[in-house]
Amino acid sequence: MTDSQNPLHDPTARGFASDNYAGIHPEVLAALVRANGGHQVAYGGDVYTERLQERCREHFGERAQTFPVFNGTGANVVALQAVTDRWEAVVCTSTAHIHVDECAAPERMGGLKLLALDTPDGKLTPDQIDAVVLRHDDEHAAQAKVVSITQSTELGTCYTVEEIRALADRAHRDGLVLHVDGSRLANAAAHLGVGFREMVHDTGVDILSLGGTKSGAMVGEAVVVLNPDAVRGTKFLRKQSMQLASKMRFVSVQLEALLTDDLAIRNAAHANAMATRLADGVRDLPGLTLTRPVQANAVFPVLPHEVSRRLMQRFPFYFWDEVTGEVRWMCAFDTTEADVDAFVAAVREELG
């Protein structure tokens, strides 16, 4: 039997496997406690979901419509279905989460064709969109309708505001819509030193999957429709996709807390800083090579396989590419300088 004095795990133990490993940010946990009491209307008719709508309009524009969901895959599948017809396709990178890490949910559950393009840094360019719209109106080809980008990307890189605007302009020129998978949107905003409005609304993004869990929520993400003219049936698709929470106030209040006083961006800025500290600590170690720029909260090094496996016994993390020996180290809102310094010391010791 366990109690608060004898938990099942060591609450002081932290690793570098994923920002999903982190717990709930204290301010989010406090918001959950405040929302827990009495009765509120189910399925989104509560005061906390209404407050979230207001907060999202502040951050994402006056026309923004917000649909809380359970998780990021659900947000992506609902969002992409809302802007496509059955014969239409989604342009993304070959490293995109929707392509690699969602167990074919967009294809199986959403019936979506993904047109995955290789990129060196995880970022699409307007020129790549040109290549996939050449067969416009060709009945033998799935018709590109959505450009989906991840911000920050799966490789830890960030689209600049200018790059997002260029993609939106290029997509809109041919009647396409721009979707942002923003599971780590706050990390990108912190890196760029901009707010969500400047990065998303002002650049012409049409629809957004807004992350919460990686920023300190317990559970919950949201589909944020910035351009209502580009979507249809979002509330029905959310229900049909099994993403409609009955006690929605507990999802909404977490997201609202993260959007209040820039908590999500403050959390992300700390995680980014810890990743930079980690990269700086190992950069000059012999036998280790950093393969990608550190812009968000991810560090990608290559080091000997046996070294990585020994380190994994002390600090959890994963291989990114086991063939090359590339691994991924992730920092979170609760990563401390002491955590980073202890890990750097362990890396130095194992490299020997």
Side-chain angles (χ1 to χ4, degrees):
M1 183 175 292
T2 62
D3 55 34
S4 59
Q5 283 72 46
N6 298 286
L8 285 171
H9 78 290
D10 178 359
T12 67
R14 288 177 290 272
F16 297 88
S18 173
D19 37 10
N20 284 325
Y21 277 37
I24 309 170
H25 190 276
E27 292 182 41
V28 175
L29 191 56
L32 278 166
V33 172
R34 289 195 301 273
N36 185 35
H39 286 201
Q40 277 286 300
V41 181
Y43 300 110
D46 59 275
V47 295
Y48 297 95
T49 300
E50 179 54 38
R51 176 67 63 84
L52 174 62
Q53 297 288 345
E54 296 170 4
R55 194 73 69 203
C56 283
R57 287 192 287 270
E58 294 172 7
H59 286 283
F60 301 109
E62 292 71 20
R63 301 181 73 204
Q65 302 170 355
T66 303
F67 301 85
V69 296
F70 290 115
N71 54 49
T73 297
N76 286 334
V77 172
V78 171
L80 293 174
Q81 287 184 97
V83 291
T84 52
D85 278 313
R86 293 174 61 186
W87 56 89
E88 292 174 331
V90 178
V91 182
C92 63
T93 69
S94 59
T95 54
H97 202 270
I98 58 174
H99 179 58
V100 177
D101 288 309
E102 294 187 347
C103 197
E107 295 95 331
R108 177 68 175 173
M109 306 306 295
L112 296 161
K113 171 68 173 177
L114 301 181
L115 304 175
L117 305 175
D118 292 333
T119 65
D121 56 2
K123 299 197 293 185
L124 288 174
T125 66
D127 288 344
Q128 289 178 298
I129 300 174
D130 288 336
V132 296
V133 297
L134 292 176
R135 298 183 69 181
H136 175 67
D137 205 34
D138 180 349
E139 65 196 80
H140 301 287
Q143 298 294 289
K145 179 61 179 181
V146 187
V147 176
S148 179
I149 64 174
T150 311
Q151 179 74 326
S152 58
T153 74
E154 288 76 12
L155 302 184
T157 52
C158 299
Y159 289 89
T160 66
V161 168
E162 292 74 22
E163 287 171 333
I164 298 173
R165 183 177 294 112
L167 284 167
D169 289 346
R170 179 62 191 86
H172 295 159
R173 191 181 80 187
D174 277 343
L176 280 64
V177 301
L178 181 61
H179 164 255
V180 172
D181 179 347
S183 63
R184 295 188 177 94
L185 192 74
N187 298 92
H191 170 70
L192 296 172
V194 300
F196 291 140
R197 191 181 187 102
E198 181 181 353
M199 184 171 57
V200 179
H201 172 270
D202 295 351
T203 54
V205 172
D206 296 291
I207 192 165
L208 164 72
S209 299
L210 177 65
T213 52
K214 293 176 174 62
S215 295
M218 178 177 70
V219 61
E221 322 278 306
V223 176
V224 181
V225 177
L226 289 85
N227 177 12
D229 298 330
V231 304
R232 60 180 184 177
T234 309
K235 69 176 183 178
F236 302 108
L237 290 166
R238 176 176 60 175
K239 176 66 174 181
Q240 192 177 69
S241 300
M242 297 168 283
Q243 289 292 319
L244 178 64
S246 55
K247 297 184 180 181
M248 195 182 295
R249 60 169 149 161
F250 298 111
V251 177
S252 298
V253 74
Q254 296 176 76
L255 298 173
E256 196 270 334
L258 289 171
L259 292 173
T260 300
D261 298 329
D262 290 327
L263 176 59
I265 294 178
R266 287 188 280 118
N267 288 349
H270 175 79
N272 292 0
M274 293 301 98
T276 298
R277 184 184 184 93
L278 175 53
D280 289 344
V282 301
R283 190 180 307 279
D284 297 325
L285 294 180
L288 182 150
T289 303
L290 295 177
T291 59
R292 309 180 193 280
V294 178
Q295 297 181 344
N297 60 327
V299 180
F300 291 87
V302 170
L303 59 165
H305 287 72
E306 62 275 14
V307 171
S308 290
R309 291 193 177 95
R310 289 197 302 268
L311 281 167
M312 288 174 184
Q313 300 305 309
R314 303 168 64 178
F315 297 85
F317 63 90
Y318 296 110
F319 280 104
W320 182 257
D321 184 341
E322 197 157 358
V323 174
T324 64
E326 186 177 29
V327 298
R328 187 185 72 165
W329 297 335
M330 297 296 298
C331 294
F333 75 86
D334 61 349
T335 304
T336 67
E337 292 184 356
D339 294 333
V340 172
D341 295 345
F343 186 49
V344 169
V347 174
R348 183 179 294 111
E349 176 186 333
E350 294 292 351
L351 284 170

